[in-house]
Amino acid sequence: TPVLAAGGIADGRGLVAALALGAQAVWIGTAFLVADECDMFAACKDQIVAADSEAFRISKVWTGKTVRAFQGEISQAWSESGLPTLETPHQRILMEDFLAAALAAARHDLFYNIAGQAGGLVKG
């Protein structure tokens, strides 16, 4: 049975370790988000590079489904409010107006930034 290693692999050391432990392949996600070829806002890339593994937490704030995302101002405010999230797709619909306003104001730092625990391991 082929084994695909995933999670927290962001560089050659992680790749080699996974292969040495018996994986036939690795899944690398977060590391590609900060690549020049990735069409992501610079503020979001900066959050990934500056973050540590604790900065990205599982939350339903942005979509109503569990996703690992950067715990910025909006996620923090929602958590502190005590309000429950709506089920998907209703939570996503609720957040669309906010995201449109953040985009119009060029507040890319407020966008939801879905990335893994490899934040801080990658370099921009």
Side-chain angles (χ1 to χ4, degrees), residues 12-119:
R13 292 178 307 159
L15 180 138
V16 169
L19 296 177
L21 290 170
Q24 283 73 40
V26 297
W27 178 283
I28 298 175
T30 301
F32 289 112
L33 294 176
V34 299
D36 292 337
E37 294 82 4
C38 182
D39 189 24
M40 182 184 237
F41 296 121
C44 292
K45 289 182 179 188
D46 292 344
Q47 285 174 343
I48 293 170
V49 172
D52 62 18
S53 64
E54 297 296 316
F56 293 88
R57 297 193 185 139
I58 296 172
S59 170
K60 291 184 173 185
V61 169
W62 296 102
T63 66
K65 295 185 89 165
T66 55
V67 296
R68 186 174 299 278
F70 183 74
Q71 293 299 296
E73 292 178 54
I74 305 310
S75 296
Q76 186 70 26
W78 193 289
S79 295
E80 290 173 1
S81 76
L83 292 171
T85 57
L86 303 173
E87 293 299 317
T88 194
H90 305 292
Q91 185 73 17
R92 172 67 184 169
I93 293 167
L94 175 72
M95 296 305 283
E96 284 178 356
D97 287 339
F98 170 78
L99 291 169
L103 181 61
R107 289 294 311 269
H108 304 141
D109 59 307
L110 296 178
F111 267 63
Y112 71 103
N113 190 357
I114 296 176
Q117 289 182 296

